[in-house]
Amino acid sequence: MEKLPFERPVIKKLKAGMPGKFGMKTGVAPVTHIDQVAVSDLIAEHGSPLFVISENTLRRTFREAKRAFETRYPKVRFAWSYKTNYLNAVCNVFHQEGSWAEVVSGFEYEKALALGVEGQHIIFNGPDKSYDDLIRAIENRSLIHIDHFDEMYMLHEISVKTGSKPRVAIRVNMDTGVYPMWDRFGFNYENGEAWDAINRIMTSGKLELTGLHTHIGTYMLSADAYRIAASKLAELAEGLVRRYGKTIDYIDIGGGFASKNTLKGAYYAGTDTAPDFDDYAEAISSAIVNSQISPDNMPLLILETGRALVDDAGYLLGTVIANKRLSDGRRATILDTGVNLLFTSFWYEHQINPAQPVSDHTEETTIYGPLCMNIDVIREASVMPLLKKGDNVVISRIGAYNMTQWMQFITTRPRVVMIDAENKIHVIREKEKLETINSLERVPEHLKKFKL
Amino acid sequence: MRLKKNIAVSETGFVFDPNSGDSYSLNDIGLEIVELLKQGRSDSSVLTALNSRYDIDRASLEKYYHDFVSMLKYYRLTEERPDAGADSGHNPGIQPQ
Ligand SMILES: Cc1ncc(COP(=O)(O)O)c(C=O)c1O
């Protein structure tokens, strides 16, 4: 007689009419395939845990965003925010789609150059640009976004020394009605510091002011904040024409669009609350089009969108190591992937689905990673089907920030694969090995031997 | 291990405990176990019955079985054995089996 498939026996207390703290909706349908590829095949071939990126989703999302802006504004350019995910294959998908590069360090700058992005298509942001970084960026005619006065004076100094005229923009921070206000980067709009910076650039004549930049925050749930930001930059641009007869080339509105992830503690799911690209595009485009800027001199609109372009394309596959009971009877599930690979679980209630068919029965469980520390929690409270040791799970919408902020803690980092448009699988980053880590270490001669 | 006599179990896996007024739901295997226990079957006889029907090794089955039974105890659906030191201040059900 053929034996029946086993599911863990479970008893669940029913709470009459009360949405418990674990929420009412279960949302635990199995995710057995990514694009057309079986999750079980991916894990069998490439191991667990495993990062998976869908090239189709990357391109589809990018084209949606591009369409939203290009149907509303005459000149649009995206610049891929490297820090969000700088795996070379991912960057190149965006470069093939026409994105420039947006970098915030010498390391990211070199990465973009090495991929073949021309210097004039690299936007160099951030507070930490070294003297040598700036020299190279100036030689390459890159767009340098000045963060503070010390950087401006360093650029003056280089300009005098080399006789070059660096192409710069200033980063502006401002009140967009969103709390907390990001005022630690760039020059403030409301207190006149932005104008002060502009005046110094225009009167010195050593720098070529090509644009105005802002990045008002990340995971911004308000499209209206962008309307305010774009209006304020447009006002500065118009003031430049009035005061100096200077027309800037571009307005760079930064990144920060929300992805469809659900923030921790949020009552509603991100899929229901996040504005879509059309909402953001409408707010930004109409603010610039309706500003005092002359229609003949409409600046290029640059977008440094990060997470909203890449989150949906990324998946993390994992495996159940064990089930446990906590002292108060609650269930705990331990996965082979923790906060070492899923940094964003500090912000998001990630969607976790079983990778194999399950019954309708669910259970409240806390989902832990494998690290030997208390903060290694993937989901504090989640309603899950009855997973058993060895079952696979799919964690969705993790394409942003995890593959750059991952930690090499306790164990090495796993492979990353990309599924292409023909459902072919490509390894785009190898699994780290002990040698990968050890190759960077040096043991002094007197520490090479020991006896126990 | 015995279930309290007055616990009502429906064919669909719905459990009502008249002592506390609480309701519970069981999955199919949970229901099967509860029915066998209601018939007064011993742990080992329940395990043998399940082992012959389901595709799982005996060690894993025992692990999941004991975990399940510990939840029945935790929810106070079982008869307290006189020797278990019926101390309502503790949750005897969640001790390791
Ligand atoms: C200057 C700048 N641009 C763009 C981004 C990308 O932001 P997001 O991923 O929220 O779109 C960031 C992220 O911190 C940033 O600092």
Side-chain angles (χ1 to χ4, degrees):
Chain A
M1 191 185 78
E2 180 107 357
K3 288 197 171 181
L4 300 168
F6 180 81
E7 179 180 72
R8 285 197 284 111
V10 74
I11 179 164
K12 192 167 102 177
K13 191 167 181 170
L14 302 172
K15 290 169 197 149
M18 279 253 302
K21 68 170 176 153
F22 292 91
M24 286 205 296
K25 270 213 332 233
T26 56
V28 284
V31 172
T32 56
H33 288 71
I34 297 173
D35 295 348
Q36 308 286 321
V37 182
V39 170
S40 52
D41 290 350
L42 284 165
I43 288 183
E45 175 78 22
H46 300 281
S48 172
L50 178 71
F51 281 100
V52 181
I53 293 170
S54 158
E55 185 181 339
N56 262 344
T57 307
L58 282 182
R59 291 189 192 271
R60 182 167 27 85
T61 312
F62 181 86
R63 287 170 195 175
E64 262 170 43
K66 192 169 157 201
R67 181 204 44 79
F69 281 90
E70 285 186 343
T71 51
R72 293 178 169 88
Y73 194 83
K75 288 185 281 180
V76 179
R77 181 66 69 170
F78 281 82
W80 176 238
S81 161
Y82 267 45
K83 72 168 91 52
T84 313
N85 187 321
Y86 47 56
L87 291 173
N88 292 335
V90 171
C91 293
N92 276 3
V93 169
F94 289 115
H95 295 321
Q96 283 185 353
E97 294 287 333
S99 282
W100 291 356
E102 184 270 327
V103 305
V104 291
S105 66
F107 163 76
E108 288 188 353
Y109 189 95
E110 279 176 32
K111 219 165 192 291
L113 274 189
L115 286 176
V117 182
E118 289 169 273
Q120 83 241 32
H121 297 143
I122 302 178
I123 293 170
F124 201 168
N125 278 321
D128 178 21
K129 310 180 189 82
S130 72
Y131 191 87
D132 291 341
D133 288 339
L134 288 175
I135 295 260
R136 179 175 53 189
I138 292 165
E139 276 169 8
N140 289 328
R141 306 292 294 146
S142 298
L143 302 164
I144 300 168
H145 289 185
I146 304 173
D147 188 75
H148 44 73
F149 281 115
D150 284 323
E151 185 180 341
M152 184 184 293
Y153 290 119
M154 189 145 67
L155 285 165
H156 279 175
E157 188 189 318
I158 296 172
S159 160
V160 170
K161 217 181 264 176
T162 61
S164 55
K165 196 166 184 188
R167 299 168 76 204
V168 302
I170 56 161
R171 174 157 174 179
V172 181
N173 68 62
M174 60 183 74
D175 181 4
T176 58
V178 170
Y179 179 86
M181 179 173 140
W182 279 28
D183 60 1
R184 61 176 275 196
F185 304 108
F187 304 93
N188 186 251
Y189 177 87
E190 283 79 21
N191 71 9
E193 195 184 31
W195 263 116
D196 188 16
I198 290 171
N199 290 337
R200 290 197 217 180
I201 291 172
M202 295 310 296
T203 51
S204 84
K206 297 197 171 55
L207 310 176
E208 184 190 335
L209 187 63
T210 52
L212 295 167
H213 173 230
T214 189
H215 171 69
I216 59 174
T218 192
Y219 201 92
M220 305 295 290
L221 284 170
S222 156
D224 195 57
Y226 285 94
R227 181 188 58 74
I228 296 171
S231 306
K232 288 184 175 174
L233 289 191
E235 213 165 287
L236 289 179
E238 207 274 318
L240 266 159
V241 174
R242 250 187 296 119
R243 195 180 292 190
Y244 297 103
K246 167 77 187 171
T247 307
I248 51 152
D249 296 341
Y250 64 88
I251 282 180
D252 179 345
I253 206 76
F257 301 158
S259 71
K260 304 280 184 222
N261 266 304
T262 301
L263 284 182
K264 273 201 166 170
Y267 190 73
Y268 296 105
T271 42
D272 299 332
T273 50
D276 56 24
F277 289 125
D278 285 305
D279 300 326
Y280 292 118
E282 183 59 34
I284 294 167
S285 308
S286 63
I288 303 177
V289 170
N290 295 328
S291 72
Q292 298 296 312
I293 298 177
S294 146
D296 305 329
N297 290 324
M298 280 291 155
L300 171 70
L301 172 61
I302 297 180
L303 297 140
E304 300 170 352
T305 313
R307 73 173 76 238
L309 289 179
V310 73
D311 241 356
D312 279 6
Y315 301 83
L316 178 57
L317 313 185
T319 303
V320 175
I321 297 174
N323 285 299
K324 275 194 176 182
R325 291 247 171 239
L326 303 178
S327 57
D328 60 0
R330 271 182 306 140
R331 171 157 295 283
T333 302
I334 305 173
L335 299 180
D336 62 354
T337 166
V339 295
N340 54 329
L341 302 181
L342 207 58
F343 191 86
T344 51
S345 50
F346 293 127
W347 312 330
Y348 289 149
E349 292 190 348
H350 279 297
Q351 185 189 324
I352 306 177
N353 296 74
Q356 49 280 310
V358 283
S359 76
D360 290 340
H361 284 274
T362 55
E363 174 177 57
E364 303 162 352
T365 185
T366 301
I367 299 183
Y368 292 112
L371 310 179
C372 304
M373 51 188 209
N374 240 0
I375 61 160
D376 191 22
V377 184
I378 299 291
R379 281 291 301 270
E380 262 134 35
S382 131
V383 175
M384 289 297 288
L386 311 177
L387 298 172
K388 31 179 213 304
K389 180 176 164 55
D391 282 351
N392 297 132
V393 297
V394 178
I395 309 176
S396 303
R397 293 205 177 91
I398 55 87
Y401 296 103
N402 288 304
M403 283 160 259
T404 46
Q405 291 188 297
W406 49 9
M407 291 181 266
Q408 192 266 302
F409 175 60
I410 296 189
T411 184
T412 53
R413 285 167 285 209
R415 267 189 180 167
V416 184
V417 299
M418 183 181 274
I419 302 175
D420 73 14
E422 270 84 51
N423 291 303
K424 262 182 60 188
I425 298 159
H426 307 263
V427 176
I428 62 168
R429 191 177 194 272
E430 262 307 344
K431 178 176 165 55
E432 292 171 346
K433 299 192 189 89
L434 179 60
E435 298 98 272
T436 324
I437 311 304
N438 273 349
S439 68
L440 298 169
E441 297 196 26
R442 307 286 178 268
V443 179
E445 209 46 50
H446 70 286
L447 296 179
K448 284 197 170 145
K449 282 199 193 116
F450 55 81
K451 218 170 121 185
L452 296 175
Chain B
M1 229 289 306
R2 273 166 184 273
L3 281 188
K4 283 185 181 158
K5 290 216 171 56
N6 57 355
I7 301 279
V9 183
S10 81
E11 282 169 18
T12 52
F14 183 76
V15 178
F16 179 67
D17 176 3
N19 309 303
S20 65
D22 285 332
S23 308
Y24 305 86
S25 76
L26 295 160
N27 66 347
D28 290 349
I29 297 183
L31 176 60
E32 205 171 326
I33 294 173
V34 165
E35 280 172 346
L36 291 169
L37 289 174
K38 280 210 104 178
Q39 293 166 18
R41 302 267 293 261
S42 69
D43 287 348
S44 65
S45 128
V46 173
L47 283 165
T48 306
L50 295 172
N51 208 194
S52 65
R53 270 165 58 73
Y54 289 100
D55 183 19
I56 183 150
D57 64 279
R58 177 81 184 204
S60 304
L61 176 64
E62 285 189 15
K63 184 179 70 180
Y64 294 124
Y65 176 78
H66 288 302
D67 180 72
F68 176 72
V69 167
S70 75
M71 288 315 285
L72 297 181
K73 289 185 189 166
Y74 178 67
Y75 289 138
R76 303 186 177 281
L77 301 174
T78 59
E79 299 279 7
E80 307 263 5
R81 276 190 320 243
D83 60 327
D87 172 2
S88 59
H90 284 92
N91 290 330
I94 52 171
Q95 276 158 14
Q97 300 291 304

